[in-house]
Coordinates of all heavy atoms in Angstrom, one line a residue:
G1412 N -8.0 28.6 19.4 CA -6.6 29.3 19.1 C -5.8 28.5 18.1 O -6.3 27.5 17.7
W1413 N -4.7 29.2 17.7 CA -4.0 28.5 16.7 C -2.9 27.5 17.3 O -2.6 27.7 18.5 CB -3.3 29.4 15.7 CG -2.4 30.5 16.2 CD1 -2.7 31.7 16.3 CD2 -1.0 30.4 16.5 NE1 -1.6 32.5 16.8 CE2 -0.6 31.6 16.8 CE3 -0.1 29.3 16.6 CZ2 0.8 31.9 17.3 CZ3 1.2 29.5 16.9 CH2 1.7 30.7 17.3
V1414 N -2.6 26.6 16.4 CA -1.7 25.5 16.9 C -0.3 25.9 16.4 O -0.1 26.2 15.2 CB -2.0 24.1 16.4 CG1 -1.0 23.1 16.7 CG2 -3.4 23.9 16.8
A1415 N 0.7 25.9 17.2 CA 2.1 26.2 16.8 C 2.6 25.0 16.2 O 2.5 23.9 16.6 CB 3.0 26.5 18.0
V1416 N 3.1 25.2 14.9 CA 3.7 24.1 14.2 C 5.2 24.0 14.5 O 5.9 24.9 14.4 CB 3.6 24.3 12.7 CG1 4.2 23.1 11.9 CG2 2.1 24.3 12.3
R1417 N 5.5 22.9 14.9 CA 7.0 22.6 15.4 C 7.7 22.2 14.0 O 7.4 21.4 13.4 CB 7.1 21.6 16.3 CG 8.5 21.4 17.1 CD 8.4 20.3 18.1 NE 7.9 19.1 17.7 CZ 8.8 18.2 17.2 NH1 10.1 18.5 16.9 NH2 8.3 17.0 16.8
I1418 N 8.7 23.1 13.8 CA 9.4 22.9 12.5 C 10.3 21.6 12.7 O 11.2 21.6 13.6 CB 10.3 24.0 12.1 CG1 9.5 25.3 11.8 CG2 11.2 23.7 10.9 CD1 8.4 25.2 10.7
E1419 N 10.1 20.5 12.0 CA 10.8 19.4 12.0 C 12.0 19.4 11.1 O 12.0 20.0 10.0 CB 9.9 18.2 11.5 CG 9.6 17.2 12.6 CD 9.0 16.0 11.8 OE1 8.2 16.1 10.9 OE2 9.5 14.9 12.2
K1420 N 13.1 18.8 11.6 CA 14.2 18.7 10.7 C 13.9 17.7 9.6 O 13.2 16.7 9.8 CB 15.5 18.2 11.4 CG 16.6 17.8 10.4 CD 17.9 18.6 10.8 CE 19.1 18.1 9.9 NZ 19.0 18.4 8.4
R1421 N 14.1 18.2 8.3 CA 13.8 17.3 7.2 C 15.2 16.9 6.5 O 16.1 17.6 6.6 CB 13.0 18.1 6.1 CG 11.8 18.8 6.6 CD 10.8 17.9 7.2 NE 10.2 16.9 6.2 CZ 9.2 16.1 6.6 NH1 8.7 16.2 7.8 NH2 8.9 15.2 5.7
Y1422 N 15.2 15.7 6.0 CA 16.4 15.2 5.3 C 16.2 15.0 3.9 O 15.1 14.4 3.5 CB 16.8 13.9 6.0 CG 17.0 14.0 7.5 CD1 16.1 13.9 8.4 CD2 18.4 14.4 8.0 CE1 16.3 14.0 9.8 CE2 18.6 14.6 9.3 CZ 17.4 14.4 10.3 OH 17.6 14.5 11.6
K1423 N 17.1 15.2 3.1 CA 17.1 15.1 1.6 C 17.4 13.6 1.3 O 18.0 12.9 2.0 CB 18.1 15.9 0.8 CG 17.8 17.4 1.0 CD 18.6 18.1 0.0 CE 18.9 19.6 0.4 NZ 19.8 19.7 1.7
T1424 N 17.0 13.2 0.1 CA 17.3 11.8 -0.3 C 18.7 11.5 -0.2 O 19.0 10.5 0.4 CB 16.7 11.7 -1.8 OG1 15.3 11.9 -1.9 CG2 17.1 10.2 -2.3
Q1425 N 19.5 12.4 -0.7 CA 21.0 12.2 -0.7 C 21.5 12.0 0.7 O 22.5 11.1 1.0 CB 21.8 13.4 -1.3 CG 23.1 13.2 -1.8 CD 23.3 11.8 -2.5 OE1 22.7 11.6 -3.5 NE2 24.2 11.0 -2.0
E1426 N 21.1 12.8 1.6 CA 21.5 12.6 3.0 C 21.2 11.3 3.6 O 21.9 10.6 4.3 CB 20.9 13.7 3.9 CG 21.3 15.1 3.7 CD 20.6 16.2 4.5 OE1 19.3 16.4 4.3 OE2 21.2 16.7 5.5
I1427 N 19.9 10.7 3.2 CA 19.4 9.4 3.8 C 20.4 8.3 3.2 O 20.7 7.5 3.9 CB 18.0 9.2 3.4 CG1 17.1 10.3 4.0 CG2 17.5 7.8 3.8 CD1 16.8 10.2 5.4
C1428 N 20.6 8.5 1.8 CA 21.3 7.5 1.1 C 22.7 7.3 1.7 O 23.2 6.2 1.8 CB 21.4 7.7 -0.4 SG 19.7 7.5 -1.2
S1429 N 23.4 8.4 1.9 CA 24.8 8.4 2.4 C 24.7 7.9 3.9 O 25.6 7.1 4.3 CB 25.5 9.7 2.2 OG 24.8 10.8 2.8
R1430 N 23.8 8.4 4.7 CA 23.6 7.9 6.0 C 23.6 6.5 6.2 O 24.1 5.8 7.2 CB 22.6 8.8 6.7 CG 22.4 8.4 8.2 CD 21.5 9.5 8.9 NE 21.1 9.1 10.1 CZ 20.4 9.9 11.0 NH1 20.0 11.0 10.6 NH2 20.2 9.5 12.3
F1431 N 22.7 5.8 5.5 CA 22.3 4.5 5.6 C 23.0 3.6 4.5 O 22.7 2.4 4.6 CB 20.9 4.3 5.6 CG 20.2 5.0 6.8 CD1 19.5 6.1 6.6 CD2 20.2 4.3 8.0 CE1 18.8 6.7 7.7 CE2 19.5 5.0 9.1 CZ 18.9 6.1 8.9
D1432 N 23.8 4.2 3.6 CA 24.5 3.5 2.7 C 23.5 2.6 1.7 O 23.7 1.4 1.7 CB 25.6 2.6 3.2 CG 26.5 2.0 2.1 OD1 26.7 2.7 1.1 OD2 27.0 0.9 2.3
I1433 N 22.5 3.3 1.3 CA 21.5 2.6 0.5 C 21.4 3.5 -0.8 O 21.7 4.7 -0.8 CB 20.1 2.4 1.1 CG1 19.6 3.9 1.6 CG2 20.2 1.4 2.3 CD1 18.2 3.8 2.2
S1434 N 20.8 2.8 -1.9 CA 20.7 3.6 -3.1 C 19.4 4.2 -3.1 O 18.4 4.0 -2.5 CB 20.7 2.6 -4.3 OG 19.6 1.7 -4.3
K1435 N 19.3 5.3 -4.1 CA 17.9 6.0 -4.1 C 16.8 5.1 -4.5 O 15.8 5.1 -4.1 CB 18.1 7.1 -5.3 CG 18.8 8.3 -4.8 CD 18.8 9.4 -6.0 CE 19.6 10.6 -5.5 NZ 19.8 11.5 -6.7
A1436 N 17.3 4.0 -5.5 CA 16.2 3.1 -5.9 C 15.6 2.3 -4.8 O 14.4 2.1 -4.7 CB 16.9 2.2 -7.0
T1437 N 16.5 1.9 -3.8 CA 16.1 1.1 -2.7 C 15.1 2.1 -1.9 O 14.0 1.6 -1.5 CB 17.3 0.8 -1.8 OG1 18.2 0.0 -2.6 CG2 16.8 0.1 -0.6
L1438 N 15.5 3.2 -1.7 CA 14.7 4.1 -0.8 C 13.3 4.3 -1.5 O 12.3 4.3 -0.8 CB 15.4 5.6 -0.7 CG 15.0 6.5 0.3 CD1 15.1 5.9 1.7 CD2 15.8 7.7 0.3
Y1439 N 13.2 4.6 -2.8 CA 12.0 4.7 -3.5 C 11.2 3.5 -3.4 O 9.9 3.6 -3.4 CB 12.2 5.3 -4.8 CG 13.1 6.6 -5.0 CD1 13.4 7.0 -6.2 CD2 13.1 7.4 -3.9 CE1 14.2 8.2 -6.3 CE2 13.7 8.6 -3.9 CZ 14.3 9.0 -5.2 OH 15.0 10.3 -5.4
K1440 N 11.9 2.3 -3.6 CA 11.1 1.1 -3.5 C 10.4 0.9 -2.2 O 9.3 0.5 -2.1 CB 12.1 -0.1 -3.8 CG 11.5 -1.4 -3.9 CD 12.5 -2.5 -4.3 CE 13.3 -2.9 -3.0 NZ 14.4 -3.8 -3.2
W1441 N 11.1 1.2 -1.0 CA 10.5 1.1 0.2 C 9.3 2.0 0.4 O 8.3 1.6 1.0 CB 11.6 1.4 1.2 CG 12.7 0.3 1.4 CD1 12.7 -1.0 0.8 CD2 13.9 0.5 2.1 NE1 13.8 -1.7 1.1 CE2 14.6 -0.8 1.9 CE3 14.6 1.4 2.8 CZ2 15.9 -1.1 2.5 CZ3 15.7 1.2 3.3 CH2 16.4 0.0 3.1
E1442 N 9.5 3.2 -0.2 CA 8.4 4.1 -0.1 C 7.2 3.6 -0.8 O 6.1 3.6 -0.4 CB 8.8 5.5 -0.7 CG 7.8 6.6 -0.5 CD 8.0 7.8 -1.4 OE1 9.1 7.9 -1.8 OE2 7.1 8.6 -1.4
K1443 N 7.5 3.1 -2.1 CA 6.4 2.5 -2.9 C 5.7 1.3 -2.1 O 4.5 1.1 -2.2 CB 6.9 2.1 -4.2 CG 6.1 2.6 -5.3 CD 6.5 2.3 -6.7 CE 7.1 1.1 -7.1 NZ 8.4 1.3 -7.9
Q1444 N 6.4 0.6 -1.5 CA 5.9 -0.6 -0.7 C 5.2 -0.2 0.6 O 4.6 -1.0 1.3 CB 7.0 -1.6 -0.3 CG 7.7 -2.2 -1.5 CD 8.9 -3.0 -1.1 OE1 9.6 -2.8 -0.1 NE2 9.3 -3.9 -2.0
G1445 N 5.2 1.1 0.9 CA 4.6 1.6 2.1 C 5.3 1.4 3.4 O 4.8 1.6 4.4
L1446 N 6.6 1.0 3.1 CA 7.4 0.8 4.4 C 7.8 2.2 5.1 O 8.1 2.3 6.2 CB 8.7 0.1 4.1 CG 8.4 -1.4 3.6 CD1 9.7 -2.1 3.1 CD2 7.7 -2.3 4.7
I1447 N 8.0 3.2 4.2 CA 8.3 4.6 4.6 C 7.0 5.5 4.4 O 6.5 5.5 3.3 CB 9.5 5.2 3.8 CG1 10.7 4.2 4.0 CG2 9.9 6.6 4.5 CD1 11.8 4.7 3.1
T1448 N 6.5 6.0 5.5 CA 5.2 6.6 5.3 C 5.3 8.2 5.3 O 6.2 8.8 5.9 CB 4.2 6.2 6.4 OG1 4.9 6.5 7.7 CG2 4.0 4.6 6.4
N1449 N 4.3 8.8 4.6 CA 4.2 10.3 4.7 C 5.4 11.0 4.3 O 5.8 12.0 5.0 CB 3.7 10.8 6.1 CG 2.4 10.1 6.5 OD1 1.4 10.0 5.6 ND2 2.2 9.8 7.7
V1450 N 6.0 10.6 3.2 CA 7.2 11.3 2.8 C 6.6 12.5 2.1 O 5.7 12.5 1.2 CB 7.8 10.4 1.7 CG1 9.1 11.2 1.1 CG2 8.5 9.2 2.3
T1451 N 7.3 13.7 2.6 CA 6.7 14.9 2.0 C 7.7 15.5 0.8 O 8.7 14.8 0.7 CB 6.6 16.0 3.2 OG1 7.9 16.1 3.8 CG2 5.7 15.6 4.2
R1452 N 7.2 16.4 0.2 CA 8.1 17.1 -0.8 C 8.2 18.5 -0.6 O 7.3 19.2 0.0 CB 7.4 16.7 -2.2 CG 7.4 15.2 -2.5 CD 6.9 14.9 -3.9 NE 6.8 13.4 -4.1 CZ 7.7 12.9 -4.9 NH1 8.7 13.5 -5.5 NH2 7.7 11.5 -5.1
D1453 N 9.3 19.0 -1.1 CA 9.6 20.5 -0.9 C 9.1 21.2 -2.3 O 8.5 20.6 -3.0 CB 11.1 20.8 -0.6 CG 12.0 20.4 -1.8 OD1 11.5 20.1 -2.9 OD2 13.3 20.4 -1.6
W1454 N 9.3 22.4 -2.2 CA 8.9 23.2 -3.4 C 9.3 22.9 -4.7 O 8.8 23.1 -5.8 CB 9.2 24.8 -3.1 CG 10.7 25.0 -2.9 CD1 11.3 24.9 -1.6 CD2 11.6 25.5 -3.8 NE1 12.6 25.2 -1.9 CE2 12.9 25.6 -3.1 CE3 11.7 25.7 -5.2 CZ2 14.1 25.9 -3.8 CZ3 12.8 26.1 -5.9 CH2 14.0 26.2 -5.2
R1455 N 10.6 22.2 -4.7 CA 11.1 21.6 -5.9 C 10.5 20.2 -6.3 O 10.9 19.7 -7.3 CB 12.6 21.5 -5.8 CG 13.4 22.7 -5.7 CD 14.8 22.4 -5.3 NE 14.8 21.7 -4.1 CZ 15.8 22.0 -3.2 NH1 16.7 22.8 -3.4 NH2 15.7 21.2 -2.0
N1456 N 9.6 19.8 -5.4 CA 9.0 18.4 -5.7 C 10.0 17.4 -5.3 O 9.9 16.2 -5.7 CB 8.3 18.3 -6.9 CG 7.3 17.1 -6.8 OD1 6.6 17.1 -6.0 ND2 7.1 16.4 -8.0
W1457 N 11.1 17.6 -4.6 CA 12.0 16.6 -4.2 C 11.5 16.0 -2.9 O 10.9 16.8 -2.0 CB 13.4 17.3 -3.8 CG 14.1 17.7 -5.2 CD1 13.6 17.7 -6.4 CD2 15.4 18.4 -5.2 NE1 14.5 18.2 -7.3 CE2 15.6 18.6 -6.6 CE3 16.3 18.7 -4.2 CZ2 16.7 19.4 -7.1 CZ3 17.5 19.2 -4.8 CH2 17.7 19.5 -6.1
R1458 N 11.7 14.7 -2.6 CA 11.4 14.0 -1.4 C 12.2 14.7 -0.2 O 13.3 14.9 -0.3 CB 11.6 12.6 -1.5 CG 10.8 11.8 -2.3 CD 11.2 10.4 -2.5 NE 10.3 9.6 -3.2 CZ 10.4 9.5 -4.7 NH1 11.3 10.4 -5.3 NH2 9.6 8.7 -5.3
T1459 N 11.4 14.8 0.9 CA 12.2 15.2 2.2 C 11.7 14.3 3.2 O 10.4 13.8 3.3 CB 11.9 16.6 2.6 OG1 10.5 16.9 2.8 CG2 12.4 17.7 1.6
F1460 N 12.6 13.8 4.0 CA 12.2 12.7 5.0 C 12.3 13.2 6.5 O 13.2 14.1 6.8 CB 13.2 11.6 4.9 CG 13.1 10.8 3.6 CD1 13.9 11.4 2.5 CD2 12.4 9.8 3.4 CE1 13.9 10.8 1.2 CE2 12.2 9.2 2.1 CZ 13.0 9.7 1.0
S1461 N 11.4 12.8 7.3 CA 11.3 13.3 8.6 C 12.1 12.3 9.7 O 12.5 11.2 9.2 CB 9.8 13.3 9.1 OG 9.4 12.0 9.1
E1462 N 12.2 12.7 10.9 CA 12.8 11.9 11.9 C 12.0 10.5 11.9 O 12.6 9.5 12.2 CB 12.7 12.6 13.2 CG 13.7 13.8 13.4 CD 15.1 13.3 13.5 OE1 15.5 12.0 13.5 OE2 16.0 14.1 13.5
K1463 N 10.6 10.6 11.8 CA 9.8 9.4 11.9 C 10.2 8.6 10.7 O 10.4 7.3 10.8 CB 8.4 9.8 11.7 CG 7.5 8.5 11.8 CD 5.9 9.1 11.9 CE 5.0 7.9 11.7 NZ 5.0 7.3 10.4
N1464 N 10.5 9.1 9.5 CA 10.9 8.3 8.4 C 12.3 7.6 8.7 O 12.5 6.5 8.3 CB 11.1 9.2 7.1 CG 9.9 9.7 6.7 OD1 9.7 10.9 6.2 ND2 8.7 8.9 6.7
I1465 N 13.2 8.4 9.3 CA 14.5 7.9 9.7 C 14.4 6.7 10.6 O 15.0 5.6 10.3 CB 15.3 8.9 10.6 CG1 15.6 10.2 9.7 CG2 16.7 8.4 11.1 CD1 16.8 10.2 8.9
T1466 N 13.4 6.7 11.6 CA 13.1 5.6 12.4 C 12.5 4.4 11.5 O 13.0 3.2 11.8 CB 12.1 6.0 13.5 OG1 12.6 7.1 14.2 CG2 11.8 4.8 14.4
E1467 N 11.7 4.8 10.5 CA 11.2 3.6 9.7 C 12.3 3.0 9.0 O 12.3 1.7 8.9 CB 10.1 4.2 8.7 CG 8.8 4.7 9.6 CD 7.9 5.4 8.7 OE1 8.3 6.1 7.7 OE2 6.7 5.3 9.0
I1468 N 13.2 3.8 8.4 CA 14.3 3.2 7.6 C 15.2 2.3 8.5 O 15.6 1.3 8.2 CB 15.1 4.3 7.0 CG1 14.3 5.1 6.0 CG2 16.4 3.8 6.3 CD1 14.6 6.4 5.5
K1469 N 15.5 2.9 9.7 CA 16.4 2.0 10.6 C 15.8 0.7 10.9 O 16.4 -0.4 10.9 CB 16.5 2.8 11.9 CG 17.6 3.8 11.9 CD 17.6 4.5 13.5 CE 18.7 5.6 13.3 NZ 18.3 6.6 14.5
N1470 N 14.4 0.7 11.1 CA 13.6 -0.5 11.3 C 13.6 -1.5 10.1 O 13.8 -2.7 10.2 CB 12.2 -0.3 11.8 CG 12.1 0.4 13.1 OD1 13.0 0.2 14.0 ND2 11.0 1.0 13.4
I1471 N 13.5 -1.0 9.0 CA 13.6 -1.7 7.7 C 15.0 -2.5 7.6 O 15.1 -3.6 7.4 CB 13.3 -0.8 6.5 CG1 11.9 -0.3 6.5 CG2 13.5 -1.7 5.1 CD1 11.8 0.8 5.5
I1472 N 16.0 -1.7 7.9 CA 17.4 -2.1 7.6 C 17.5 -3.2 8.8 O 18.1 -4.2 8.5 CB 18.4 -1.0 7.7 CG1 18.2 -0.1 6.5 CG2 19.8 -1.6 7.9 CD1 19.0 1.1 6.6
K1473 N 17.2 -3.0 9.9 CA 17.3 -4.0 11.0 C 16.7 -5.2 10.7 O 17.2 -6.3 10.9 CB 16.7 -3.3 12.3 CG 17.3 -4.0 13.6 CD 16.7 -3.3 14.8 CE 16.3 -4.1 15.9 NZ 15.4 -5.2 15.6
S1474 N 15.4 -5.1 10.2 CA 14.5 -6.4 9.9 C 15.2 -7.2 8.7 O 15.3 -8.4 8.7 CB 13.2 -6.1 9.7 OG 13.0 -5.4 8.5
R1475 N 15.8 -6.3 7.7 CA 16.4 -6.9 6.7 C 17.6 -7.7 7.0 O 17.9 -8.8 6.6 CB 16.7 -5.8 5.6 CG 17.2 -6.3 4.3 CD 17.5 -5.0 3.4 NE 18.8 -4.4 3.8 CZ 19.3 -3.4 3.1 NH1 18.8 -3.0 2.0 NH2 20.4 -2.7 3.6
D1476 N 18.4 -7.2 8.0 CA 19.6 -7.8 8.5 C 19.3 -8.9 9.3 O 19.9 -9.9 9.3 CB 20.5 -6.7 9.2 CG 21.1 -5.6 8.4 OD1 21.1 -5.9 7.2 OD2 21.5 -4.7 9.0
D1477 N 18.1 -8.9 10.0 CA 17.7 -10.1 10.8 C 17.3 -11.2 9.9 O 17.8 -12.4 10.2 CB 16.5 -9.7 11.7 CG 16.9 -8.8 12.9 OD1 18.0 -8.6 13.1 OD2 15.9 -8.2 13.5
K1478 N 16.7 -10.9 8.9 CA 16.3 -12.0 7.8 C 17.5 -12.6 7.2 O 17.6 -13.8 7.0 CB 15.5 -11.4 6.8 CG 14.0 -11.1 7.3 CD 13.0 -11.0 6.1 CE 11.7 -10.4 6.4 NZ 11.8 -8.9 6.6
R1479 N 18.6 -11.9 7.0 CA 19.8 -12.4 6.4 C 20.4 -13.3 7.3 O 21.3 -14.1 6.8 CB 20.7 -11.1 6.2 CG 21.2 -11.1 4.7 CD 22.0 -9.8 4.5 NE 21.5 -9.0 3.6 CZ 21.9 -7.7 3.3 NH1 22.9 -7.2 4.2 NH2 21.3 -6.9 2.5
G1480 N 20.3 -13.3 8.6 CA 20.8 -14.1 9.6 C 22.1 -13.6 10.1 O 23.2 -14.0 9.7

């Protein structure tokens, strides 16, 4: 039988940047470093981020803040 695909909420780069107060450059750097995984793109080839990516970003920020002391 076929598998129902659950439509996940996707977030645009701009939404992520304003939500976490980070720059696009930072976001792209983390993606390049493999800290944010499976970033998908929409029909315009713009990045879209999933809830899983949100969790990854939260963890990156948390560990970054932990290192800062």
Side-chain angles (χ1 to χ4, degrees):
W1413 58 258
V1414 179
V1416 176
R1417 194 170 58 81
I1418 300 297
E1419 243 198 313
K1420 170 119 175 70
R1421 311 297 298 184
Y1422 302 88
K1423 294 191 208 66
T1424 301
Q1425 195 47 59
E1426 291 177 286
I1427 301 286
C1428 289
S1429 57
R1430 179 168 172 179
F1431 293 106
D1432 192 29
I1433 55 177
S1434 67
K1435 283 183 188 175
T1437 298
L1438 197 56
Y1439 298 164
K1440 187 178 74 186
W1441 291 345
E1442 184 191 349
K1443 228 174 35 230
Q1444 291 171 340
L1446 298 172
I1447 306 171
T1448 58
N1449 299 321
V1450 175
T1451 53
R1452 294 184 182 252
D1453 66 11
W1454 56 274
R1455 292 167 302 214
N1456 206 33
W1457 293 1
R1458 290 169 177 82
T1459 61
F1460 298 87
S1461 65
E1462 288 291 351
K1463 183 175 172 288
N1464 296 143
I1465 299 266
T1466 304
E1467 290 171 332
I1468 292 161
K1469 280 180 186 161
N1470 290 337
I1471 296 163
I1472 291 169
K1473 196 172 142 320
S1474 69
R1475 193 179 67 172
D1476 289 348
D1477 287 349
K1478 282 196 196 82
R1479 234 178 241 165

